[in-house]
Amino acid sequence: MSKRTKLKDIADRLGVSITTVSRALNNKADINDETKREILELARQLEYRPNSLAISLRRNNTVPLVGVILPIINHYFFATVLKGIMSKAHLHNSLIIVGESLQDEKKEKKILNQFMDQGVSGIIIAPARNSNFEENIIPILHKRIPVVVIDRMYDNYKGNYVLTNDYNAAHKAVQHLLDNGYKKIAHIGSVDDKSIGTERKRGYIAALHQAKIDINEDYIILNDIDNPDLAIEKGFNATAKLFELPNPPDAIFAVTDDVAIGVIEYAKENNISIPDDLGLVGFSNAKMSNYIRPRLTTIEQNGFAMGQLAFDFFNKASSSNGEVFQKSFELNLIVRESSVQKSEV
Amino acid sequence: MSKRTKLKDIADRLGVSITTVSRALNNKADINDETKREILELARQLEYRPNSLAISLRRNNTVPLVGVILPIINHYFFATVLKGIMSKAHLHNSLIIVGESLQDEKKEKKILNQFMDQGVSGIIIAPARNSNFEENIIPILHKRIPVVVIDRMYDNYKGNYVLTNDYNAAHKAVQHLLDNGYKKIAHIGSVDDKSIGTERKRGYIAALHQAKIDINEDYIILNDIDNPDLAIEKGFNATAKLFELPNPPDAIFAVTDDVAIGVIEYAKENNISIPDDLGLVGFSNAKMSNYIRPRLTTIEQNGFAMGQLAFDFFNKASSSNGEVFQKSFELNLIVRESSVQKSEV
DNA sequence: TAACTTACCGTAAACGTTTACGGTAATTAC
DNA sequence: GTAATTACCGTAAACGTTTACGGTAAGTTA
């Protein structure tokens, strides 16, 4: 692999100055047509490609670049967060450079480093499940580049973030099931050392606690649901396990709409009626949740607003001195068919 | 707004050299603790932020940047295309910078210009519906930067592309309905001056033609379905219109799974049985299509593979001299419940 | 005391461009 | 034939960093 050709290479080979080469390639005046032709020709041969760093540096026209890292890019929630970020970025003439960590903290770190090399002026990150704060984030903060953490949380993190109050939301979901007469409420959750799974489980437990209902450990099944394609299957299998119990639950709070879909699939195959035999609440308000039957009660998660706010926070953090911006969104319950027994309607 | 502070500003104020400042900020050796402290302190006061362009330039670690423009970023298909692109980009240590045109060619152009300013080494674009080739793409080609067009097509475009054979796929879908005994097949399509809508409609017509069935113009309803949230509603309304006809169809080929969902919703509300009273085929194999009832027969669209190939094409085009890379994917029909009458099974 | 080491700091080149400015030769104007 | 213009090209500075190298003063060693 030879070195990348630069202006000087072309200039030397043709016995002209760098300036002349630059003029030719940029279509400027003050250059002979024949010279220009030769330069263009040689540039083509040598596969010349301008070094954008040098150009931007010289022109002093740095387009603010913001790096965004998401665990999974084609997940509706994250894609919508990205959309929110981009909508704001577009207004501020910023550009968005994105990376997908695939829940791999090594990959996350590599992308982060590339982002720094590329010269981002900020980072918005939904951390990978096992993301290492010390190793991945601290070096960026040392470079004094603003970081906004979104969706998931680091322990003892003191910086900018945009989160959702998963604890309250889960509490609300379970309370809703209780209010509708369900008593034996199970939880199909996710193993997660970051906030999400844990918080939702905490909310679930708290709601039962408050209702003075004992926690039945058999009613709690935790899965790795990172892969959205497998999440449905995981939900299906977990439901099967729950119904093998001597005393199966009469309601399920699923950590995700995908998981809830799995519950529904199992119920259909086994003639379990939702909501009559089994109440069900999901989480996320995936598009699908309004079109499957029964229509799924779920928690609305406004990814778009979160993305927008994340960009706003980055923006504020850029022009302020160490001030910290934090927001935790409260989430609404959307009541549909899956959690309200028909006799009760 | 004052100018951005640079090393020199700090150096001047403190009467030290730029080198010393650099050493302090980068935690290098050969510097007195007290000097370092002062520099760090002043840097904080002046809100020093390193110019990463200069850093990367000096360090010579340019990361190849590829610009990706998509009409809608949180649409599953496009998000998956993006995922495919990124998977390959990651292998080649490239970075992806993305923009969302929202089907607006002015916006598309603005993003394209920003990409050029930022110095991308390639463009992968799924053109907006009314994207202007002359105005938006030609200038990039003039800069000798590889362009790969994806999903949609420009008229008379001669460059690199990764497409799907929508004509054949639509033909296949309609043929499948014919094979299953449906005779009065309607089409809920999309108005579209680019390839997609037109090609699917062409395939629909061709299949009927071949079966010697006359085209009934009342059976063709075209919508603007750019907004995926509205697409379901559009499908619903179109179906309503079809069933107001004196002689309603007995099958529908929908241009999109979302539109097909709308058909299903209408059918459920009006006690029309799918597939018995009405056959239905969608397009895209959205995740949802396998979990609604009846499970939807559809065309599989492998966005991931398309994205991967698009990046490969960019890559090849980068290191080849004017060679052109083109691919049109053949798409498979996925037969599920919505198109096979139970009596026939 | 002479030689050597250490701690600290500055000079200047380099990364790959763009561009203001000046220069030469040829052409045109008068 | 002189002056002015034009066409073409090069020199060098600049963008904001990093870093190899050298230098000085103080401390250390023998």
Side-chain angles (χ1 to χ4, degrees):
Chain A
M1 203 61 173
S2 58
K3 290 230 8 123
R4 193 187 234 246
T5 60
K6 39 189 175 177
L7 292 190
K8 190 170 188 318
D9 301 326
I10 301 178
D12 288 351
R13 295 257 295 237
L14 257 44
V16 297
S17 76
I18 294 180
T19 309
T20 303
V21 179
S22 172
R23 274 195 272 252
L25 293 170
N26 289 10
N27 229 1
K28 299 252 170 161
D30 288 345
I31 186 168
N32 181 289
D33 281 348
E34 174 59 14
T35 325
K36 185 170 172 176
R37 209 193 47 71
E38 285 179 25
I39 291 173
L40 256 38
E41 164 72 17
L42 186 59
R44 176 170 298 272
Q45 271 183 39
L46 299 183
E47 294 182 25
Y48 171 75
R49 249 173 255 291
N51 179 324
S52 45
L53 290 178
I55 296 176
S56 301
L57 178 59
R58 172 59 227 240
R59 289 209 185 126
N60 237 339
N61 63 347
T62 323
V63 182
L65 246 195
V66 181
V68 176
I69 299 192
L70 303 171
I72 310 166
I73 199 79
N74 62 341
H75 192 291
Y76 183 75
F77 172 69
F78 288 120
T80 306
V81 168
L82 180 57
K83 190 187 180 85
I85 294 172
M86 293 205 312
S87 74
K88 284 284 182 174
H90 192 259
L91 291 180
H92 291 81
N93 291 316
S94 293
L95 287 180
I96 297 298
I97 170 175
V98 344
E100 186 182 35
S101 69
L102 292 174
Q103 303 286 13
D104 177 354
E105 69 113 7
K106 298 305 286 177
K107 198 163 183 179
E108 182 179 283
K109 185 173 183 184
K110 179 182 171 191
I111 296 171
L112 242 13
N113 283 333
Q114 288 177 315
F115 280 8
M116 301 308 286
D117 285 352
Q118 186 63 30
V120 295
S121 45
I123 297 278
I124 298 175
I125 180 173
R129 193 148 36 92
N130 56 352
S131 175
N132 186 326
F133 183 68
E134 310 292 330
E135 205 171 326
N136 288 9
I137 305 298
I138 292 280
I140 303 173
L141 296 176
H142 271 157
K143 291 263 182 183
R144 319 193 56 252
I145 288 175
V147 172
V148 179
V149 171
I150 190 166
D151 188 50
R152 299 188 178 201
M153 189 39 118
Y154 293 103
D155 292 340
N156 302 322
Y157 176 72
K158 307 276 183 228
N160 311 296
Y161 65 69
V162 175
L163 295 180
T164 51
N165 193 333
D166 289 67
Y167 172 84
N168 276 357
H171 191 289
K172 224 179 285 187
V174 174
Q175 186 59 49
H176 164 75
L177 286 169
L178 289 168
D179 290 346
N180 279 273
Y182 298 101
K183 303 217 176 331
K184 302 182 290 177
I185 303 174
H187 174 51
I188 305 179
S190 81
V191 291
D192 207 331
D193 53 350
K194 293 275 168 312
S195 48
I196 297 199
T198 325
E199 288 298 295
R200 293 182 193 172
K201 184 178 153 198
R202 270 187 57 227
Y204 159 81
I205 290 178
L208 291 186
H209 245 72
Q210 235 169 279
K212 310 216 184 304
I213 295 178
D214 287 341
I215 305 302
N216 181 345
E217 287 296 339
D218 291 339
Y219 279 4
I220 301 180
I221 299 184
L222 265 30
N223 283 302
D224 168 357
I225 53 149
D226 282 336
N227 186 332
D229 292 331
L230 295 182
I232 294 178
E233 205 180 314
K234 298 279 178 75
F236 185 97
N237 295 336
T239 313
K241 219 186 280 180
L242 287 171
F243 274 88
E244 281 166 7
L245 254 35
N247 181 21
D250 64 0
I252 295 178
F253 166 52
V255 71
T256 282
D257 280 356
D258 280 338
V259 170
I261 304 281
V263 175
I264 292 179
E265 287 287 314
Y266 179 87
K268 282 184 177 160
E269 269 192 25
N270 294 274
N271 288 318
I272 299 169
S273 159
I274 300 177
D276 290 331
D277 302 337
L278 184 71
L280 180 62
V281 178
F283 206 114
S284 290
N285 193 26
K287 188 172 180 180
M288 205 186 319
S289 62
N290 194 30
Y291 297 103
I292 45 162
R293 296 301 143 83
R295 301 188 198 261
L296 182 65
T297 295
T298 188
I299 298 282
E300 184 170 25
Q301 217 177 358
N302 195 342
F304 191 77
M306 288 177 70
Q308 289 194 312
L309 195 64
F311 187 90
D312 284 342
F313 279 4
F314 148 74
N315 212 31
K316 285 189 192 169
S318 293
S319 52
S320 94
N321 217 326
E323 199 181 342
V324 171
F325 303 92
Q326 304 181 329
K327 164 81 176 184
S328 181
F329 277 91
E330 289 303 324
L331 303 178
N332 293 323
L333 182 76
I334 302 181
V335 178
R336 298 205 186 97
E337 303 165 355
S338 69
S339 61
V340 183
Q341 280 154 327
K342 283 155 201 160
S343 50
E344 311 244 337
V345 181
Chain B
M1 204 59 174
S2 57
K3 288 227 14 115
R4 192 188 236 246
T5 61
K6 39 189 175 178
L7 292 189
K8 190 170 189 316
D9 300 327
I10 300 179
D12 288 352
R13 295 256 297 237
L14 256 42
V16 297
S17 76
I18 294 180
T19 309
T20 303
V21 179
S22 172
R23 274 196 272 252
L25 293 170
N26 289 9
N27 229 1
K28 299 250 168 163
D30 288 347
I31 187 169
N32 181 289
D33 281 348
E34 173 59 15
T35 325
K36 186 169 171 177
R37 210 194 45 71
E38 285 178 24
I39 292 175
L40 257 36
E41 164 73 18
L42 186 58
R44 176 168 299 271
Q45 271 183 39
L46 298 183
E47 295 182 27
Y48 171 74
R49 249 177 256 289
N51 179 326
S52 25
L53 289 180
I55 296 176
S56 300
L57 177 60
R58 170 60 226 238
R59 291 212 184 124
N60 233 339
N61 54 357
T62 321
V63 182
L65 246 197
V66 180
V68 175
I69 298 193
L70 302 171
I72 309 166
I73 199 79
N74 61 341
H75 192 291
Y76 183 75
F77 172 70
F78 287 120
T80 306
V81 168
L82 179 58
K83 190 187 180 85
I85 294 172
M86 294 204 313
S87 74
K88 284 284 182 175
H90 192 258
L91 290 180
H92 291 82
N93 291 317
S94 293
L95 287 181
I96 298 298
I97 169 176
V98 342
E100 185 182 35
S101 68
L102 293 174
Q103 303 286 12
D104 177 353
E105 69 112 7
K106 299 303 288 178
K107 198 163 183 179
E108 182 179 283
K109 185 173 182 183
K110 179 183 172 190
I111 296 170
L112 243 12
N113 282 333
Q114 288 177 315
F115 281 7
M116 301 309 286
D117 284 351
Q118 186 62 30
V120 295
S121 46
I123 297 279
I124 298 176
I125 179 172
R129 192 146 36 90
N130 56 352
S131 174
N132 185 327
F133 183 69
E134 310 292 330
E135 206 171 327
N136 288 10
I137 304 299
I138 294 278
I140 302 173
L141 297 176
H142 272 158
K143 288 261 184 184
R144 317 190 51 253
I145 287 176
V147 172
V148 179
V149 171
I150 192 165
D151 188 50
R152 299 187 178 201
M153 189 39 118
Y154 292 102
D155 292 339
N156 302 323
Y157 175 71
K158 306 277 184 229
N160 311 296
Y161 64 70
V162 176
L163 295 180
T164 51
N165 194 333
D166 289 66
Y167 171 84
N168 276 356
H171 191 290
K172 224 179 286 185
V174 174
Q175 186 61 50
H176 164 76
L177 286 169
L178 290 168
D179 290 347
N180 279 274
Y182 299 102
K183 301 216 176 336
K184 301 183 292 179
I185 303 175
H187 174 51
I188 306 179
S190 81
V191 290
D192 207 329
D193 53 353
K194 291 277 169 310
S195 48
I196 297 199
T198 325
E199 288 299 295
R200 294 183 192 170
K201 184 179 154 195
R202 270 188 58 226
Y204 159 80
I205 290 177
L208 291 186
H209 245 72
Q210 235 168 278
K212 308 217 186 306
I213 295 177
D214 287 340
I215 305 302
N216 181 344
E217 286 296 339
D218 290 339
Y219 279 3
I220 301 180
I221 298 184
L222 265 29
N223 283 302
D224 168 356
I225 53 149
D226 282 336
N227 185 331
D229 292 331
L230 295 181
I232 294 178
E233 204 180 315
K234 296 278 177 77
F236 186 98
N237 294 336
T239 312
K241 220 186 277 182
L242 287 171
F243 274 88
E244 282 166 8
L245 255 35
N247 183 20
D250 65 0
I252 295 178
F253 166 53
V255 71
T256 282
D257 281 356
D258 281 337
V259 170
I261 304 281
V263 175
I264 293 179
E265 287 288 315
Y266 179 87
K268 282 184 176 158
E269 269 192 24
N270 294 274
N271 288 318
I272 299 168
S273 159
I274 299 177
D276 290 331
D277 303 335
L278 184 70
L280 179 62
V281 178
F283 206 114
S284 290
N285 193 25
K287 188 173 180 180
M288 205 186 322
S289 62
N290 194 31
Y291 297 103
I292 46 163
R293 296 299 144 86
R295 300 188 199 260
L296 182 65
T297 294
T298 188
I299 298 283
E300 185 171 23
Q301 217 177 358
N302 195 340
F304 192 77
M306 289 178 69
Q308 290 194 311
L309 195 64
F311 187 90
D312 284 342
F313 279 4
F314 149 73
N315 213 32
K316 286 188 190 171
S318 293
S319 52
S320 95
N321 220 324
E323 200 181 340
V324 171
F325 303 91
Q326 306 182 328
K327 165 83 176 183
S328 181
F329 277 91
E330 291 301 325
L331 303 178
N332 293 323
L333 183 75
I334 301 181
V335 178
R336 296 204 185 99
E337 303 166 354
S338 69
S339 61
V340 184
Q341 281 154 326
K342 284 156 201 162
S343 49
E344 310 244 337
V345 182

